[in-house]
């Protein structure tokens, strides 16, 4: 049986290391599933997900000239087509959640003046941030004890 790139085959986990799992594909062929190709999510320890002797379905990613076979479990799983994007949730006053940092009156629903709208939002955000920063600095300096501070 020739192993072809892109083929989905079944195998049995024959060994586990800290960087991946070796899968016996039969006919004296063994491939490696790197830890990043086991699952779409983060895996701290492979032994939490796979055990020696587990039957797995894998996709052949590559076959090296030296006979090394790279495999993927996560790419062998058929995923449903991605659902269409949902609309942004509406806030209570009817505006979308896009204008969190600025003044919503500058938000352009038609997106004709996207550049100007973004610049306006950014300007109002910067002014608001500078104002808040000045207030924080003023309040913090009073709590530090002013010049010299206390020394015991």
């Amino acid at each position: 049986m020739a192993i072809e790139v892109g083929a989905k085959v079944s195998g049995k986990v024959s060994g586990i290391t800290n960087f991946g799992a070796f899968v016996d594909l039969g006919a004296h062929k063994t491939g490696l599933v790197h830890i990043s190709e086991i699952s779409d999510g983060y895996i701290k320890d492979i032994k939490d997900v796979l055990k020696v002797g587990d039957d797995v379905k894998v996709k052949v990613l590559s076959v090296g000239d030296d006979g090394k076979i790279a495999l993927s479990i996560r790419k062998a799983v058929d995923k449903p087509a991605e659902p269409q994007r949902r609309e942004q949730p509406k806030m209570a006053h009817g505006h979308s959640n896009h204008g969190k940092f600025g003044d919503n009156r500058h938000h352009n629903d038609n997106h004709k003046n996207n550049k100007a709208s973004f610049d306006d939002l950014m300007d109002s955000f910067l002014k608001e941030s500078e104002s808040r920063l000045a207030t924080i600095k003023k309040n913090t300096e009073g709590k530090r004890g002013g010049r010299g501070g206390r020394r015991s």
Side-chain angles (χ1 to χ4, degrees), residues 37-102:
E37 292 295 332
I38 292 175
S39 171
D40 285 329
Y42 175 74
I43 296 177
K44 185 173 183 176
D45 187 7
I46 295 175
K47 294 174 184 166
D48 294 339
V49 181
L50 294 174
K51 295 178 189 68
V52 174
D54 285 352
D55 290 318
V56 291
K57 185 175 181 181
V58 293
K59 181 175 183 177
V60 180
L61 298 179
S62 67
V63 179
D65 295 334
D66 54 359
K68 291 184 178 178
I69 303 170
L71 303 170
S72 173
I73 293 174
R74 68 184 181 101
K75 291 181 181 172
V77 178
D78 294 325
K79 296 179 185 159
E82 286 193 28
Q84 294 200 359
R85 287 183 61 169
R86 297 183 307 174
E87 271 190 43
Q88 290 287 335
K90 298 286 182 184
M91 297 177 106
H93 51 77
H95 287 288
S96 68
N97 209 7
H98 292 292
K100 278 185 180 178
F101 295 113

Side-chain angles (χ1 to χ4, degrees), residues 125-143:
F125 171 74
L126 288 173
K127 286 177 187 172
E128 188 178 328
S129 295
E130 288 171 359
S131 169
R132 287 182 181 176
L133 195 58
T135 304
I136 290 171
K137 281 184 179 179
K138 185 175 90 176
N139 291 340
T140 308
E141 285 186 17
K143 293 178 183 176

